[in-house]
Amino acid sequence: MKLLIRILPVIFAVLSCTGDSGKTDQTGGRSNKPPVIINIHGANALYPLAQIWADHYMSGHPGVRIIVFPASSTKGKTDVMNGLADIGMYSNPSPDGIGDSLLLLKVAKDAVMPTVNDQNPDLQILVRQGISPGLFKDIFVNGTITYWNQVTGAQTGKKITVYSRSDLSGAGTVWAEFLGTKQENLIGTGVYGDAGMTQAIKSNVNSIGYDNLRYIFDHISGKPYPGIATLPIDFNNNRIVDPEEAGFASLESMKNAIHSGAFPSPLARELYFIINSGNCSTQALDFLTWVLTEGLSDIDKSGYVSLSAEEYESEKMKLKVP
């Protein structure tokens, strides 16, 4: 799998360079000038928005080909460091210490939420009383809770199928940090990527996992995808979902909660682009400048959460954007 991940971006880049992407010149002929290639690798959490940005930017820049490859935050960072990508996608909650040669640009916000199958027999109880951080830890770390009736108090219960991310992901890091541990300490059947987690939850009525907003909610309807239900978190451990712990079952309510701070960090987190500050192409810098100006209109309608105007001004200063 690691070999395949390394090879695929190279294949895509070669195919892009050999495709018929020449522009029509003023005489009506075809330009033989090859397109400029921008490679973006990294976090699955940011991939859908990065792809939307890439398509939008390319529509107005026919001489540019942007290849967005989803993998993990770790790969996004290392590929930029090793010159295999122009831009990295990064979603880990603690970006400090990423390296002096790398520049982090905050571009949007997201959140990680616990999920279950929407046909879970105990769903009504779970929505009413929630699950406390301590109980989540017993499920995902300690392994001392293995049946749903241990959570709900029902007389009978099915065995819980726990899913965790198999890749070194921002979502896995965020969920582990929320539970006071490291991603490698999370137990459960490993699944690759956000889409893999969504599919795993859909396919097992007794499952539990965690995922990013864009892979839980349909960004058009704002509702969870069929087969997916979000779990309220009983932050104060009183076995009741209080008003301030409720209302996070739609994309719009989650956006509002992230903006207001009602849905807390580290579960609510920022998403980043990474570049090599000393070796970033002119075209990649132009794309990032476009993202922080014209591209901002794509964020909210794509299922993500915008930063404040002041935060974007700060990020633009890093690129010296007027």
Side-chain angles (χ1 to χ4, degrees):
M1 177 61 74
K2 291 181 178 178
L3 179 60
L4 180 60
I5 289 174
R6 293 192 185 98
I7 290 173
L8 277 175
V10 177
I11 294 174
F12 292 157
V14 171
L15 289 176
S16 299
C17 290
T18 58
D20 182 19
S21 57
K23 294 187 292 182
T24 302
D25 61 26
Q26 293 180 348
T27 64
R30 300 292 291 179
S31 170
N32 292 323
K33 185 177 180 180
V36 175
I37 304 296
I38 301 175
N39 284 297
I40 303 176
H41 300 175
N44 282 274
L46 190 51
Y47 167 69
L49 179 56
Q51 187 63 65
I52 289 169
W53 274 332
D55 292 339
H56 190 172
Y57 182 84
M58 287 188 293
S59 68
H61 299 77
V64 178
R65 183 70 57 84
I66 302 177
I67 302 165
V68 187
F69 185 79
S72 67
S73 290
T74 300
K75 183 165 178 59
K77 179 181 72 172
T78 56
D79 280 5
V80 169
M81 291 177 63
N82 295 327
L84 299 176
D86 301 285
I87 300 171
M89 299 178 285
Y90 197 76
S91 63
N92 281 352
S94 301
D96 295 338
I98 197 169
D100 294 337
S101 65
L102 300 182
L103 176 64
L104 280 165
L105 293 171
K106 289 188 291 187
V107 293
K109 292 182 180 179
D110 188 20
V112 176
M113 298 185 72
T115 57
V116 293
N117 188 285
D118 64 4
Q119 298 302 308
N120 186 301
D122 291 327
L123 185 59
Q124 290 187 351
I125 301 175
L126 292 168
V127 170
R128 185 170 65 248
Q129 68 184 35
I131 299 182
S132 69
L135 289 178
F136 277 124
K137 188 170 185 177
D138 285 339
I139 294 171
F140 282 94
V141 182
N142 300 327
T144 54
I145 290 182
T146 56
Y147 286 85
W148 279 112
N149 61 341
Q150 294 176 273
V151 178
T152 63
Q155 289 187 341
T156 60
K158 297 291 186 178
K159 188 175 178 63
I160 302 173
T161 301
V162 181
Y163 290 113
S164 288
R165 290 285 292 274
S166 61
D167 50 321
L168 294 175
S169 66
T173 301
V174 165
W175 187 243
E177 185 173 320
F178 172 64
L179 300 180
T181 189
K182 302 291 186 182
Q183 183 182 350
E184 56 264 30
N185 297 326
L186 298 177
I187 62 176
T189 301
V191 293
Y192 186 86
D194 293 282
M197 178 66 78
T198 300
Q199 188 55 46
I201 298 297
K202 286 182 176 182
S203 65
N204 191 317
V205 70
N206 296 307
S207 60
I208 189 171
Y210 50 88
D211 221 334
N212 296 295
L213 295 186
R214 189 58 168 74
Y215 295 85
I216 297 172
F217 297 105
D218 182 332
H219 69 286
I220 303 298
S221 69
K223 299 177 180 179
Y225 289 111
I228 300 292
T230 58
L231 278 177
I233 301 174
D234 179 22
F235 288 105
N236 62 8
N237 197 28
N238 65 352
R239 296 187 65 82
I240 297 173
V241 176
D242 299 310
E244 63 271 20
E245 298 167 339
F248 302 151
S250 71
L251 180 58
E252 193 62 31
S253 64
M254 278 302 304
K255 287 182 177 182
N256 292 335
I258 293 169
H259 274 303
S260 68
F263 198 76
S265 175
L267 295 179
R269 45 81 184 273
E270 293 158 334
L271 303 176
Y272 304 85
F273 276 149
I274 303 175
I275 59 172
N276 188 325
S277 56
N279 186 28
C280 188
S281 70
T282 301
Q283 197 64 58
L285 288 173
D286 185 76
F287 169 72
L288 292 171
T289 299
W290 178 91
V291 164
L292 293 175
T293 51
E294 295 179 55
L296 298 182
S297 62
D298 289 327
I299 296 174
D300 285 314
K301 63 186 179 183
S302 301
Y304 290 81
V305 181
S306 297
L307 307 177
S308 67
E310 293 76 15
E311 287 175 298
Y312 280 122
E313 285 302 316
S314 176
E315 298 310 299
K316 286 161 64 176
M317 289 294 293
K318 295 178 183 178
L319 294 177
K320 297 181 175 58
V321 178

